[in-house]
Amino acid sequence: MNIPSDTNLASRTLPWRAGMRLLAYLGGGNWLRSTAWRPPDGPQRLPADWLGICVAATDDPAGDAYTIDRLHDLGLRLVRMDFAPGSRNSPQQRLLDKLLAADFQVCLHLVQPREAARRMAHDDAIRGQWRAFINEVLDAWGARLECIEVGATCNRRKWSGHNLNGLLAAWQIAWDAAKERGVSIIGPNVTDFEPLY
């Protein structure tokens, strides 16, 4: 499979656009204020549909009930969790099933292994494995998920392994599968970023 030609266009134009926004931000000077990186003081109200709590399973199934109880205590109904090819038949799948059974809205962040992500742009076999994983997850849980999240921001290469072309290839595969099933897709990695500092 060849990466679509618009992927190459994106790899040329996105860095330029991002660079221009960075220059505008730096030129604005707000980042020089001593409070620029701090949230407002005092208690903060979170909207009911706030996407900001990531959950993960423990080996002990009792941890699932504890996690769900704390989510109820916080009044949160929308959670995010990572799910990788090795997550099938694992504690992570066990927690996912319990969250869905308890009517939580789950944003499932589909994560590619680092080495696979590194080779995504140029390896047909890796793209095939990613496609199979996406299809398997969406066939099993897609209709019950709030959304899926795909990828990591490119400045997280040291974590994710993706370069821009690999990320766009992973995204295209997930987009096609999600669209076919009517599942919402967000990303790349809207819930995490690496600040300039």
Side-chain angles (χ1 to χ4, degrees), residues 58-197:
T58 64
D59 288 336
D60 184 353
D64 300 346
Y66 179 84
T67 298
I68 289 171
D69 288 346
R70 298 299 71 78
L71 290 169
H72 284 303
D73 290 347
L74 292 169
L76 296 175
R77 302 298 306 158
L78 180 57
V79 297
R80 175 188 184 262
M81 75 184 308
D82 291 342
F83 203 82
S87 297
R88 287 301 297 244
N89 303 312
S90 74
Q92 197 73 342
Q93 179 179 333
R94 184 192 66 223
L95 177 59
L96 172 61
D97 290 334
K98 288 181 181 178
L99 288 166
L100 293 171
D103 293 324
F104 281 89
Q105 297 168 286
V106 177
C107 171
L108 200 60
H109 178 214
L110 302 177
V111 181
Q112 215 171 4
R114 184 176 161 78
E115 180 57 26
R118 190 181 67 75
R119 295 172 37 207
M120 187 68 183
H122 59 273
D123 190 320
D124 288 336
I126 294 296
R127 286 194 295 272
Q129 290 168 8
W130 177 245
R131 183 176 289 104
F133 169 67
I134 297 289
N135 287 330
E136 179 182 351
V137 168
L138 293 180
D139 288 344
W141 296 284
R144 298 167 56 202
L145 296 173
E146 182 69 15
C147 60
I148 61 169
E149 179 182 352
V150 174
T153 54
C154 289
N155 66 337
R156 286 292 197 188
R157 239 180 288 185
K158 64 186 176 208
W159 287 8
S160 72
H162 280 124
N163 62 27
L164 183 58
N165 287 338
L167 175 63
L168 292 174
W171 175 268
Q172 186 66 57
I173 289 167
W175 168 264
D176 292 340
K179 183 178 177 186
E180 179 181 309
R181 292 165 177 85
V183 176
S184 296
I185 182 171
I186 63 174
N189 203 262
V190 299
T191 56
D192 184 29
F193 64 95
E194 186 171 36
L196 177 64
Y197 60 89

Side-chain angles (χ1 to χ4, degrees), residues 35 37-44:
T35 59
W37 310 112
R38 292 182 44 207
D41 289 334
Q44 305 297 311

